[in-house]
Amino acid sequence: MIQPGQTIPAATLSELTKDGMVNHTTSELFANKKVVLFAVPGAFTPTCSEAHLPGFVTLADQIKAKGVDMIACIAVNDAFVMQAWGEAQNASEISMLADGNASFTKALGLEMDTGEFGGIRSQRYSMVIDNGVVTQLNVEPPNQFEASSAGTLLASL
């Protein structure tokens, strides 16, 4: 599993924007900026939709006021699902990134196999990335939600 002090691995993540599909490299996404990245096991799932993403939507301005340039949400879903979920959650301040084949999640060592539920998904976590280097990592134990919440992350900035 990636650790604080390590560089984010090279990968490509997708985002459906008003201008169409954009494929971002992690080196481009995280270079020369401070980014809060949080991951969810799946878009439109209960805890993700009722607490995790809404917390970052609500606290986005306060998080950015702490010197954060970008807040991004990632899931092992496609970019169309991520974009629709972001719209449904009024997440205009959050970059909704898709890791469709889980390659980024696997490179981080943060994948989990949910079996018949959905196969390979991301563990729930939040991290702070400063110029491509992880400075903080908060990974949730299974079936819990606290360490990776927006409130916990904001308090640590």
Side-chain angles (χ1 to χ4, degrees):
M1 178 186 335
I2 194 157
Q3 295 295 314
Q6 294 181 322
T7 301
I8 289 290
T12 301
L13 302 169
S14 301
E15 180 179 22
L16 185 60
T17 70
K18 64 181 190 297
D19 299 321
M21 188 68 68
V22 178
N23 291 315
H24 301 284
T25 64
T26 52
S27 59
E28 166 251 323
L29 266 176
F30 304 122
N32 302 312
K33 59 182 82 103
K34 187 173 187 176
V35 178
V36 165
L37 176 68
F38 67 100
V40 298
F44 292 105
T45 57
T47 301
C48 306
S49 292
E50 295 165 11
H52 208 174
L53 178 56
F56 281 94
V57 170
T58 300
L59 296 176
D61 290 341
Q62 292 177 55
I63 291 169
K64 288 183 175 181
K66 298 284 187 174
V68 171
D69 300 299
M70 179 175 80
I71 302 170
C73 175
I74 191 166
V76 180
N77 285 113
D78 65 61
F80 297 97
V81 168
M82 292 301 288
Q83 187 267 345
W85 188 42
E87 278 188 4
Q89 293 282 328
N90 298 310
S92 58
E93 295 296 312
I94 314 289
S95 295
M96 302 298 289
L97 303 175
D99 184 18
N101 65 1
S103 60
F104 177 67
T105 299
K106 289 176 183 177
L108 291 173
L110 288 167
E111 77 277 8
M112 65 177 175
D113 189 345
T114 64
E116 292 180 8
F117 172 77
I120 300 299
R121 297 292 180 114
S122 178
Q123 293 181 53
R124 186 181 306 282
Y125 67 85
S126 66
M127 66 171 64
V128 178
I129 305 162
D130 199 346
N131 193 26
V133 176
V134 176
T135 59
Q136 185 180 141
L137 176 62
N138 310 303
V139 181
E140 290 290 350
N143 302 313
Q144 292 189 30
F145 175 65
E146 183 179 338
S148 65
S149 75
T152 298
L153 187 113
L154 176 60
S156 70
L157 289 174

